[in-house]
Structures are given as C-alpha cells and as structure tokens.
Amino acid sequence: MGGRGYEYHFVATPGDWLMCNICHYPSRDPYLSGCCGHTFCKSCLDGAKKATTISDACPICRNEEFATMPNKQADRTVRSLHVFCTNKEKGCDWQGEVNNIVSHVTKSDGCQFEEVICTNGCGMCVQRQYLSSHVEDECVCCMVDCQYCHITGEHQFIEGEHKDQCPKFPIACPNKCEIDNIPREDIDEHRKMCPLEEVTCPNDCETTLQRQYIHTHIKMECPRLKVECQHCHITGEQQFIEGEHKEQCPKFPIACPNKCEVGSVPRDDVEEHKKMCPLELIQCEYHVVGCEERMARKDKKKHNKEKMEEHLSFAIHQLTKAQHNLASSQVEAVNSREELTAKTTQIGKDLSTTKQQLISTQIDTVKTIDRLIQRLQQTGRDLATKQELTTRQLEKYKDDLTVKVEQRMI
C-alpha cells in the first residue's frame, strides 16, 4: 500500500497524533478510529479495506466493530503546519502552510524552480524562471529572427540548418589569422588580403608562401630577383649572384688559407695577404748560405735564434768556399798575366824582327806597334788593379758577413 499523506518537508516535526498509522505521513483528509483512536488518511483507509477480506475490521486492532469519523481538528492542524517548498533542493527558500504549497508550486507567479512544460508544445520541461527565455530564444518550435541576416523561422531551423548557410554568420578566417567574426559571404574578399593566405610569387619562381612574407621574398629571396652583389656590385638574378657568381666574385670575403686571425679577406687579395700572413710558410732567409728549412712567418725569429749556430756554420762554409774560389781566381789571373807577358814578349820579338825587316818601308807600322805595346802594358796594369779591387771586395764581404753573424748571435 502506498502512502497518501502529505509527503512534504515540514519545518517542524508534526505531532504523532497527526500521523497516519498506515502511510506514516501527516494525514490527508484524516479519519479517527472509534475502536482504538488511531488516525488514518481517507485514501489509506480505503486502500486498507480493499486489501483485507474483513473489510469492516480495524486495520490496526482488527476490531470488527470498526467505525470512523472525520478528524476535522487534525485536518485543520495539518493544513496549518509550515512546510518547505518541494523545490528546496533546487534553490527555492519558500516556507508556508500546507494549504498554500499547491498554489505556490502551480501558479505562474509561484515557485520559479518548478519544472513546467514549454507552452510552445515542444515537450521540453524547464524551470519556470527560464520558461520565458526558453520560449522566446531556445524553443525549437518558437519563431525567431536570425540575429545576423534577420530572416524569420523556427528556432530549430535558424539554429541548425540556417546557421550553417547564413551569409552573414560570423566565422573564423580559414587561415586562422588574428581577424575573426568575418561574415561568411566576405570570406573570399578577406582571403585576398589575409596575411596568412598562401600565394604564389609574381616573379614566376614557383615559390608559394604566406602573403605576409611575399614582399620580403620578392625583395630579398626570390631567385629571379635582380640584385646587386654586395661585394663587387655587379647586377644579376639573385639565383646567379648567390650561386655561380658567389664562387667566383673577386671581392667575396673568404677565409685566409692559413686560418690566421685576420679571418676573411677579399678573394683577389688573398695572394697579397699571404705575403704578410703570420702563418704563411716561408723559406729561411739564410737559404742563400744553405738552410733549407721552411717555417711560418711568425716563427722566423724563433727559427733564427734556434738555428743560429747552424746558420753560422753555413755562412763560414760559404765564406771558405768563396775564399777558395777567390784564390783560384787569383792563380788563374797570375797565370793569365804570365801567359800574356810571354805572349807580349814574343810579339815584341816578332815585331822587332818585322820592324827590322820593314823599317825601311813601314815606318807607320812601327808606330802602330809601339802604340799596341803601350795598350798591352796598360791592360796589364788594369788587370792588376782589377785583381787588387777584387781582393779588397772579398775582404770587405768577409768582414760584413762576420759582423752580421755576430749581430744575429747577439
């Protein structure tokens, strides 16, 4: 048997004498038993009578002489009890008598938390406080205007099919740029200016990139762009300037072949740089006297210091060799002079004989012979002078070389 009493949340606990002894709720239309004095709801009492074979017996004490009468005092008391709204858990804080709760829940200006059926007939239940907004804005059966293009139609259509086609409906840029809320019908125009739209280079280089970068590409990166070499200032397509020309440009800065601290130098200045580069390999300055070692230019002084004795040895060897050659030259010069003297004497004898033979007829020839003799004598004197000069030059070269070696040792 189901309870039929007032199943409300009472502000204060009702007295036991008000409770139905069948459903155990405060009695609705209460009746008082004459046999045992218990109180029953009218509906609970009727149900109890139908559920037992002894329909006239008391459902509590089973007295067959069961009689009841309306309990008007209990009814008035129960109806005046204070209860909470049935929507208390939803947020309603109303309190009032049992007599007033039905009107509070059912009246249009009553409980705003009561769920009511949409008056448009969509079948949806919403709280009374939201009914107006639901009917006007959300109900699938209500007629509404599209807030963008202002056509009128059922809410379900406007918020569904139409929303996906409305030409004025704001949508985001397909390229996800910073501009949003663009009317659908203006998307194509927007894309003609959108900085993130993919476009092709107008120079026909077949490059595709975002519009925001196309200007930079055209001015600085496009391989078909006419640019000037920043080093030698010739003009050509960027592809050529940055490729083939870059490998040949005489002014293009390249690293020193010796990787010195200078870093980079123009390509056509590399040879000049190598003449001063501290890391360039050079011959020892004493290679003329026999040192065959090579070293970095910066190590020249260190090499000379470390190889000083060896250089001196080379120099002495060369000096000795020069002295020997000088002595040989002197001997050859003496021999040549003796041979010349012998030849001169012989010529003199021959001339004298010839003179004696031709004296009568060749006076002029005699004079010529005399002059020849004088010239030969002068040649001898010149040869002696030259020999003396050569000897002095060799002595000076020896002295200078000795001084230079001593200076290097210091």
Side-chain angles (χ1 to χ4, degrees):
M1 292 181 294
R4 293 291 187 273
Y6 292 108
E7 300 179 16
Y8 300 132
H9 293 285
F10 288 82
V11 176
T13 304
D16 292 341
W17 66 282
L18 300 174
M19 308 297 287
C20 171
N21 282 272
I22 295 177
C23 69
H24 304 293
Y25 286 106
S27 302
R28 188 191 300 269
D29 296 330
Y31 276 74
L32 184 63
S33 169
C35 57
C36 59
H38 289 98
T39 300
F40 307 98
C41 295
K42 184 178 184 302
S43 58
C44 292
L45 186 60
D46 292 342
K49 288 181 179 180
K50 293 179 181 179
T52 180
T53 56
I54 307 174
S55 60
D56 293 335
C58 176
I60 301 301
C61 66
R62 293 303 183 187
N63 190 329
E64 293 183 4
E65 295 181 1
F66 178 53
T68 59
M69 68 179 110
N71 191 343
K72 294 183 178 180
Q73 183 181 2
D75 185 46
R76 286 193 299 271
T77 302
V78 170
R79 288 176 180 275
S80 64
L81 292 177
H82 279 237
V83 294
F84 293 107
C85 175
T86 53
N87 295 308
K88 179 178 182 297
E89 293 182 356
K90 296 178 182 179
C92 183
D93 57 2
W94 179 89
Q95 296 180 27
E97 294 181 355
V98 173
N99 276 333
N100 299 325
I101 190 170
V102 174
S103 62
H104 166 70
V105 172
T106 58
K107 284 186 177 181
S108 60
D109 59 349
C111 180
Q112 296 300 304
F113 295 91
E114 179 69 11
E115 291 195 350
V116 295
I117 298 176
C118 172
T119 55
N120 284 336
C122 72
M124 188 172 182
C125 290
V126 294
Q127 291 183 357
R128 184 175 282 115
Q129 61 182 325
Y130 303 126
L131 180 61
S132 177
S133 61
H134 167 77
V135 169
E136 295 176 2
D137 302 323
E138 302 172 0
C139 178
V140 296
C141 295
C142 71
M143 300 299 288
V144 296
D145 286 345
C146 173
Q147 61 178 309
Y148 307 108
C149 68
H150 305 295
I151 71 165
T152 302
E154 287 189 354
H155 184 276
Q156 187 173 10
F157 167 73
I158 294 297
E159 291 299 318
E161 180 181 350
H162 173 72
K163 194 172 184 179
D164 295 331
Q165 300 174 354
C166 178
K168 301 294 185 181
F169 185 79
I171 60 176
C173 170
N175 300 316
K176 299 181 180 179
C177 72
E178 295 181 352
I179 303 176
D180 53 10
N181 295 327
I182 306 167
R184 182 178 278 115
E185 64 182 1
D186 294 339
I187 283 295
D188 289 339
E189 285 299 317
H190 166 73
R191 293 179 65 174
K192 293 178 182 179
M193 299 179 292
C194 178
L196 303 186
E197 179 74 7
E198 294 282 336
V199 295
T200 302
C201 173
N203 289 337
D204 296 328
C205 72
E206 299 182 357
T207 300
T208 301
L209 67 169
Q210 292 179 345
R211 180 174 282 110
Q212 61 181 332
Y213 303 124
I214 195 68
H215 182 74
T216 301
H217 168 77
I218 292 173
K219 293 294 184 183
M220 301 179 63
E221 302 170 358
C222 180
R224 294 184 177 247
L225 175 68
K226 294 291 185 180
V227 296
E228 182 183 85
C229 174
Q230 61 178 311
H231 308 294
C232 69
H233 305 294
I234 72 164
T235 302
E237 285 189 358
Q238 179 166 295
Q239 189 172 9
F240 165 74
I241 294 296
E242 293 298 323
E244 180 180 349
H245 173 73
K246 193 173 183 179
E247 299 298 327
Q248 301 174 354
C249 177
K251 300 298 181 182
F252 185 80
I254 61 174
C256 169
N258 301 315
K259 300 180 181 180
C260 71
E261 296 179 353
V262 173
S264 59
V265 292
R267 183 177 276 115
D268 59 357
D269 291 342
V270 168
E271 292 303 321
E272 284 299 316
H273 166 74
K274 288 170 68 175
K275 294 178 181 178
M276 299 180 292
C277 179
L279 301 185
E280 178 73 7
L281 289 178
I282 60 173
Q283 277 188 326
C284 173
E285 63 182 337
Y286 291 100
H287 70 279
V288 294
V289 295
C291 183
E292 298 180 354
E293 291 193 28
R294 298 173 67 85
M295 76 294 298
R297 182 174 278 109
K298 68 181 182 64
D299 297 329
K300 174 182 173 182
K301 291 184 178 179
K302 179 181 177 182
H303 169 77
N304 288 340
K305 186 175 181 181
E306 292 176 350
K307 300 292 183 177
M308 185 179 297
E309 292 183 2
E310 190 173 342
H311 290 165
L312 181 59
S313 177
F314 285 143
I316 292 173
H317 174 73
Q318 291 295 329
L319 181 59
T320 301
K321 186 176 178 180
Q323 288 176 334
H324 175 73
N325 292 337
L326 180 60
S328 297
S329 297
Q330 290 176 337
V331 171
E332 290 177 357
V334 170
N335 291 336
S336 297
R337 185 174 61 180
E338 290 177 352
E339 291 177 0
L340 182 60
T341 302
K343 288 179 180 181
T344 302
T345 301
Q346 184 62 39
I347 291 171
K349 290 179 180 180
D350 293 341
L351 289 174
S352 295
T353 301
T354 303
K355 180 179 179 182
Q356 290 175 1
Q357 294 174 352
L358 300 175
I359 193 168
S360 58
T361 56
Q362 298 178 347
I363 296 174
D364 294 335
T365 304
V366 172
K367 293 180 180 180
T368 301
I369 291 171
D370 290 339
R371 287 196 298 270
L372 179 60
I373 291 172
Q374 291 175 2
R375 289 183 64 182
L376 289 173
Q377 290 174 347
Q378 183 63 39
T379 298
R381 289 193 298 271
D382 290 344
L383 182 61
T385 302
K386 185 176 181 180
Q387 181 179 352
E388 184 179 355
L389 289 173
T390 300
T391 301
R392 284 202 297 265
Q393 287 176 349
L394 288 174
E395 290 296 328
K396 187 177 184 302
Y397 174 77
K398 180 179 177 181
D399 294 338
D400 291 344
L401 185 60
T402 301
V403 171
K404 193 172 185 179
V405 170
E406 288 175 353
Q407 289 177 346
R408 291 290 182 183
M409 292 180 65
I410 293 173

